Amino acid sequence: YPDFILFLILLLAINGYFFLKIFLYRVIGSIVMLKEEIAESNYHMQMYYKVLGVFLLPVATIHAVGNEIRYITVWIMVITMVLFYLASLMRSIYIGNRKGISIFYLILYLCMLEILPLILIFKILTKE
């Protein structure tokens, strides 16, 4: 694909993933009657994504300009995204524990909305 078309495809795929994730959060929050907790968790998750964008902007700029250090900037971006993702998960678990949510719901949350989509995406990307 040309660069611009690839950019648009990735932009739509990533935004679609996040919108679908937020929609599923709200649906599951309605099903298990935890709308307020899920709304707070969504708020914090979106704040983590915005702060992540602010942190990645200079790294992405350096990546676009410097040809010699692209390998390093890619690793910096991946490590930063993983750290922010883990911080977001920890924050969601903290919110759940603070509100008195059962550990069963937290495990269900982690497996269904966080780990399963990542495994499916990895499976699709590594398909031969």
Side-chain angles (χ1 to χ4, degrees), residues 25-35 38 104-105 108:
Y25 272 88
R26 289 182 180 172
V27 168
I28 290 176
S30 295
I31 291 172
V32 296
M33 294 179 287
L34 296 171
K35 283 185 179 182
I38 295 296
F104 172 74
Y105 286 136
L108 179 68

Side-chain angles (χ1 to χ4, degrees), residues 28 31-34 38 92-93 96-97 100-113 115:
I28 290 176
I31 291 172
V32 296
M33 294 179 287
L34 296 171
I38 295 296
S92 296
I93 291 171
N97 281 336
I101 296 174
S102 169
I103 193 71
F104 172 74
Y105 286 136
L106 292 174
I107 292 171
L108 179 68
Y109 156 76
L110 284 174
C111 292
M112 188 172 178
L113 289 177
I115 297 170

Side-chain angles (χ1 to χ4, degrees), residues 52 55-56 59 75-85:
L52 176 64
F55 274 103
L56 289 181
V59 179
W75 278 107
I76 290 172
M77 286 189 268
V78 168
I79 290 170
T80 306
M81 286 188 283
V82 167
L83 289 175
F84 270 80
Y85 182 73

Side-chain angles (χ1 to χ4, degrees), residues 22 25-26 35-50 88 91-92 95:
I22 290 170
Y25 272 88
R26 289 182 180 172
K35 283 185 179 182
E36 294 174 10
E37 290 81 2
I38 295 296
E40 184 179 356
S41 180
N42 272 341
Y43 171 77
H44 288 290
M45 182 177 55
Q46 290 174 351
M47 292 308 292
Y48 275 109
Y49 293 148
K50 290 175 184 177
S88 176
R91 181 68 179 175
S92 296
I95 291 169

